[in-house]
Amino acid sequence: MNFAGEDITPTFAEYRAVLETQVPGLFDFDIITEFGRALLAKAGTILTHVEYAKTTGGRRIAMTHAGVQVATRTAYAPTDWPLRILPFNPDGSPKSAEAVPTDVAGPACFAGDLLARDRMLPRLDAGDIVAVPDTGAYYFSNPFSYNLLPRVPVFGYRAKQEGVEFSVIRRGQSREEILAEAGEPEIAPYRPVQSEGDS
């Protein structure tokens, strides 16, 4: 899976060619495999607003609503799961400004909640939009409710000649659902437990 750009590489044919060269005996069998990430990753993009931005230690920090709860693998293993960050103005036009070292941070309360660290990006300000492509595979399927952060809504779209149509694939989580998932609204009274020796 190519997370570095739009190109779909390696292709399935290229992948097969490498296997045939390196392990030709493998093709003496019927092979069934699953290419979920390669099929789905490019079909997803996370969109989030920059809530606020600040400069600390010579780096710009753009605080967003997308972090560990939608990009768990990237937050915990950023070098293994790097993501591209595409910056846009509030009106949706591509952002063009002087590039500055930037951390793109999420809403969780720990320093590692980052989509990108020290990335050269146009200066991001409150209200800007950040798009994170290639997130249609593990990112879609692994929402993480750290600090009771809600599962975000997921929308599908299709471009038609007369415009773009959107459809809800998975609705966002309501406050009531978050609280219900957290536990019972009232704790039942404690009751003493008798030991085996008690009669």
Side-chain angles (χ1 to χ4, degrees), residues 49-56 59-64 95 100 102-105 122-128:
H49 282 98
V50 175
E51 185 68 26
Y52 67 92
K54 62 183 181 178
T55 300
T56 303
R59 274 210 307 260
R60 190 81 174 151
I61 301 173
M63 303 300 296
T64 75
K95 177 106 185 190
V100 295
T102 303
D103 291 351
V104 179
R123 179 188 164 97
L124 293 169
D125 295 299
D128 286 341

Side-chain angles (χ1 to χ4, degrees), residues 97-126:
E98 180 186 356
V100 295
T102 303
D103 291 351
V104 179
C109 63
F110 66 99
D113 186 18
L114 298 172
L115 294 180
R117 181 189 305 271
D118 204 15
R119 190 84 55 88
M120 293 302 291
L121 294 169
R123 179 188 164 97
L124 293 169
D125 295 299

Side-chain angles (χ1 to χ4, degrees), residues 139-143 151-156 167-172:
Y139 299 91
F140 171 85
S141 63
N142 288 344
R151 284 188 295 277
V152 298
V154 177
F155 298 93
S167 180
V168 175
I169 293 175
R170 182 176 68 208
R171 65 181 177 77

Side-chain angles (χ1 to χ4, degrees), residues 151-165:
R151 284 188 295 277
V152 298
V154 177
F155 298 93
Y157 75 93
R158 71 175 162 197
K160 300 181 83 175
Q161 199 164 22
E162 56 273 13
V164 178
E165 292 182 343

Side-chain angles (χ1 to χ4, degrees), residues 2-129:
N2 171 29
F3 286 104
E6 293 300 317
D7 295 335
I8 298 175
T9 64
T11 66
F12 295 125
E14 290 167 340
Y15 183 79
R16 179 189 170 104
V18 170
L19 288 178
E20 283 184 310
T21 301
Q22 300 294 320
V23 196
L26 193 62
F27 291 87
D28 294 340
F29 305 92
D30 290 334
I31 299 173
I32 298 173
T33 188
E34 187 269 323
F35 287 100
R37 180 165 46 145
L39 291 171
L40 297 175
K42 294 252 179 245
T45 299
I46 294 170
L47 293 175
T48 185
H49 282 98
V50 175
E51 185 68 26
Y52 67 92
K54 62 183 181 178
T55 300
T56 303
R59 274 210 307 260
R60 190 81 174 151
I61 301 173
M63 303 300 296
T64 75
H65 294 279
V68 68
Q69 88 282 22
V70 293
T72 309
R73 292 170 186 249
T74 295
Y76 287 121
T79 56
D80 294 331
W81 296 88
L83 290 170
R84 288 181 291 144
I85 303 295
L86 306 178
F88 295 90
N89 293 305
D91 66 2
S93 62
K95 177 106 185 190
S96 62
E98 180 186 356
V100 295
T102 303
D103 291 351
V104 179
C109 63
F110 66 99
D113 186 18
L114 298 172
L115 294 180
R117 181 189 305 271
D118 204 15
R119 190 84 55 88
M120 293 302 291
L121 294 169
R123 179 188 164 97
L124 293 169
D125 295 299
D128 286 341
I129 299 168

